[in-house]
Amino acid sequence: MTQENIAVIVLAAGMGTRMKSVTPKVLHPLAGRPMVNHLLDTVSALEPQRVVVVVGPDMDAVAKAVQPHATVIQTERLGTGHAVAQALPALAGFSGTVLVLYGDTPLITRPTLDAMLACRRAAPYPAVVVLGFRPQDGGQYGRLVVDVAGGLDAIVEHADATPEQRALTLCNSGVMAIDGDRLAGLIGRVGNANRKGEYYLTDIVALARADGAACGVVEGAADELLGVNSRAELAVAEAILQNRLRRTHMDNGATLSDPASVYFCWDTKLGQDVSVAPNVVFGPGVTVADGVEIRAFSHLEGTTVATQAIIGPFARLRPGAEIGAGTHIGNFVEIKQSIIGAGAKINHLAYVGDAHVGAASNVGAGTITCNYDGFGKFITEIGAGAFIGSNSSLVAPVKIGDGAVIGAGSVITKEVKAGALAVARGTQMELPGWADRFRARKQVKTAAKTDKE
C-alpha cells in the first residue's frame, strides 16, 4: 500500500433548518464562496479519481455549485450511513481509499487529510480511519476509545457512554477514510435499531473490529472541524477563515497594519510589498500587483491594480476597474468598468464609470462621467495627459483628446480635440448692489410683521 487511488464522498443533503434560510446550508458563503466549494477545493489538491456529492431532493442549486463533480440524491434522510449508501453505485469498481467528508465542515485542511491517508497506508492498514478532535466542550459528541497501541477500539455515542467514557476528551468528527474494497460490505450491514431509526456511519467501526480488522484514529485541530449549522457558527467559521487568509497574505509578503480589520475574499491575490491599511475590504476577483499601497476604508471588487499605485483612503473600485501602474485613486473616488492609464491621478470626490482614462491625466475633484441615460451605458474617453477641471460633467458618449484641458464646472457634451481648452458653463452675470437691496427689503418686511404681532 505505498500508493493508492482516492475517492471522496461529500455529504451535503442536510436541510440546515437552524440556518432559517431558503438557501441550502452548504451554499452559505465563507469569504465570498459557498462553504461546500471551499471543501471541494481542498479535496481537489488530493487529485481524487472520483468525487461524489450526496444532496437532498430539490437541491438543484447545490448540484450546480459542485459541478463538474457527480451528485446523487438522498431522497429520504435516514442518517449518515444511508447517505453513504446512496453514493456507492457511483463508486462501482473503485478500489482504494474513500474519504467521507461533510459539506458543512469546510475548514478541514490538506495536511489533515494527508495524515488520514498516511494512516490508511501504514501497517496494520486499518479498514477505517476516523478523524478525532478535542473541542473545549465535548458536549454531545461521540467519544473515541483508543487502545494501548493507539488504534481505534470503538466509537461510543454520548447517550450510550459511561461516565468514564464521557470524561474522554477525544471526540468523533465524523470524517473517515475507509478501505474502498470493504466499504460496501460494511455499509450493507449497518442497521437502524436505535432511537432515531437511522443508519449511522459510525457503526462501521464496530463492524470492522468484529471482522478482525484494525481501525485507526488521527487527531485534527478543533478549528478545522467546526460544523456550520447556524448563522452564529457561520460567523465563527468566517473569522477562522479570515485569520488564515490574513496569515497567508502576510507570509507571502504583504503588510497588514491592522490584520483583524482587513477582510479578504477567497480568491484575493496580493503581490509582494503591498501595504494594506485598516478597514479595507476585498470582494471577489481582486488582483493587486507588487508595491501597491491601499489606504484605509477602501473597498475593492472585481478589479486589477498595477504596480506602485496608491488607492484610497475611502476609495471604491468596482467590477471592471483596471488601475494602471503608479496611479493615484484617492478620497471618495469610485471607479467602475474603466481603464485608468499609468500615472493618472483621480484624487478627490469623483465618479468614473465606463471610461478610458489616458496615462498621466488628471481628473479634478467632483468630476463625474455621465455614463447612463436611463436606458444604456456609454463610454467616455479621456486622452493621455488631459486635465479635467473640478466639478466637470462629461456626458457620454464623449471623447477628450490628448493633452486637452477642461475648465472647472464644465458640462462637456461634444468631442474636445487634442491640446484644446473647452469651457462649457453658463455666462457669469453680476448686478451691482442687488444683494444689499435684497437684504434691506427682507428686513423691512420682517420688522412690519413683528409690529403687527
Side-chain angles (χ1 to χ4, degrees), residues 219-270:
E219 186 171 340
D223 64 0
E224 292 186 31
L225 298 169
L226 172 70
V228 179
N229 297 294
S230 67
R231 306 279 184 161
E233 290 171 344
L234 184 69
V236 173
E238 180 74 33
I240 293 169
L241 184 55
Q242 287 296 331
N243 281 333
R244 290 184 186 177
L245 292 170
R246 293 162 186 152
R247 179 59 184 266
T248 296
H249 287 299
M250 289 188 288
D251 287 347
N252 289 339
T255 295
L256 311 182
S257 58
D258 181 19
S261 71
V262 178
Y263 286 82
F264 291 102
C265 198
W266 67 276
D267 62 348
T268 305
K269 296 179 175 63
L270 300 184

Side-chain angles (χ1 to χ4, degrees), residues 11-17 23-26 54-56 59 62 74 77 104:
L11 305 187
M15 297 176 66
T17 54
T23 301
K25 176 172 62 172
V26 299
V54 181
V55 302
M59 284 189 171
V62 178
Q74 186 186 17
R77 294 175 173 88
D104 62 0

Side-chain angles (χ1 to χ4, degrees), residues 107-343:
L107 300 179
I108 194 167
T109 64
R110 167 73 185 276
T112 296
L113 297 179
D114 284 339
M116 295 183 71
L117 295 170
C119 184
R120 268 278 299 135
R121 291 192 295 267
Y125 309 121
V128 182
V129 175
V130 175
L131 182 59
F133 71 117
R134 299 182 192 272
Q136 289 185 344
D137 179 6
Q140 301 298 309
Y141 286 110
R143 300 308 201 265
L144 301 184
V145 181
V146 178
D147 61 28
V148 293
L152 180 61
D153 188 56
I155 300 177
V156 182
E157 296 301 328
H158 183 270
D160 301 323
T162 66
E164 292 78 12
Q165 290 170 332
R166 290 182 182 181
L168 298 173
T169 58
L170 188 59
C171 296
N172 176 37
S173 73
V175 175
M176 295 187 182
I178 306 164
D179 183 348
D181 294 324
R182 295 175 179 264
L183 178 58
L186 292 171
I187 290 292
R189 288 183 284 156
V190 172
N192 65 342
N194 52 64
R195 286 178 294 178
K196 291 187 176 181
E198 294 184 352
Y199 298 86
Y200 295 134
L201 181 62
T202 52
D203 289 352
I204 68 172
V205 170
L207 293 169
R209 296 288 286 147
D211 291 343
C215 292
V217 62
V218 168
E219 186 171 340
D223 64 0
E224 292 186 31
L225 298 169
L226 172 70
V228 179
N229 297 294
S230 67
R231 306 279 184 161
E233 290 171 344
L234 184 69
V236 173
E238 180 74 33
I240 293 169
L241 184 55
Q242 287 296 331
N243 281 333
R244 290 184 186 177
L245 292 170
R246 293 162 186 152
R247 179 59 184 266
T248 296
H249 287 299
M250 289 188 288
D251 287 347
N252 289 339
T255 295
L256 311 182
S257 58
D258 181 19
S261 71
V262 178
Y263 286 82
F264 291 102
C265 198
W266 67 276
D267 62 348
T268 305
K269 296 179 175 63
L270 300 184
Q272 289 185 341
D273 296 315
V274 170
S275 173
V276 183
N279 298 294
V280 172
V281 176
F282 295 91
V286 175
T287 299
V288 178
D290 296 347
V292 170
E293 180 183 354
I294 303 175
R295 294 174 176 171
F297 292 97
S298 295
H299 187 287
L300 294 77
E301 180 176 355
T303 186
T304 59
V305 182
T307 58
Q308 305 302 318
I310 298 174
I311 308 299
F314 295 97
R316 186 181 181 198
L317 303 184
R318 292 173 56 194
E322 299 180 23
I323 310 302
T327 57
H328 292 187
I329 307 297
N331 303 269
F332 302 103
V333 173
E334 179 179 351
I335 311 290
K336 189 272 295 185
Q337 199 66 44
S338 297
I339 299 172
I340 312 301

Side-chain angles (χ1 to χ4, degrees), residues 26-27 53 55 59-73:
V26 299
L27 294 186
V53 182
V55 302
M59 284 189 171
D60 293 343
V62 178
K64 182 178 180 180
V66 303
Q67 289 178 346
H69 302 303
T71 55
V72 297
I73 299 174

Side-chain angles (χ1 to χ4, degrees), residues 355-359 361-363 367-369 379-389 392-407 410-424:
H356 299 163
V357 178
S361 56
N362 188 301
V363 178
T367 296
I368 61 172
T369 58
I379 300 296
T380 297
E381 297 183 49
I382 300 174
F387 182 91
I388 311 300
S392 294
S393 297
L394 311 180
V395 182
V398 69
K399 181 176 181 179
I400 312 299
D402 293 347
V405 174
I406 306 301
S410 294
V411 178
I412 302 298
T413 60
K414 298 178 181 179
E415 179 178 353
V416 179
K417 299 297 184 181
L421 166 66
V423 181

Side-chain angles (χ1 to χ4, degrees), residues 420-438:
L421 166 66
V423 181
R425 55 187 180 230
T427 301
Q428 184 170 318
M429 182 176 65
E430 182 176 338
L431 300 177
W434 182 93
D436 292 337
R437 293 192 296 273
F438 172 77

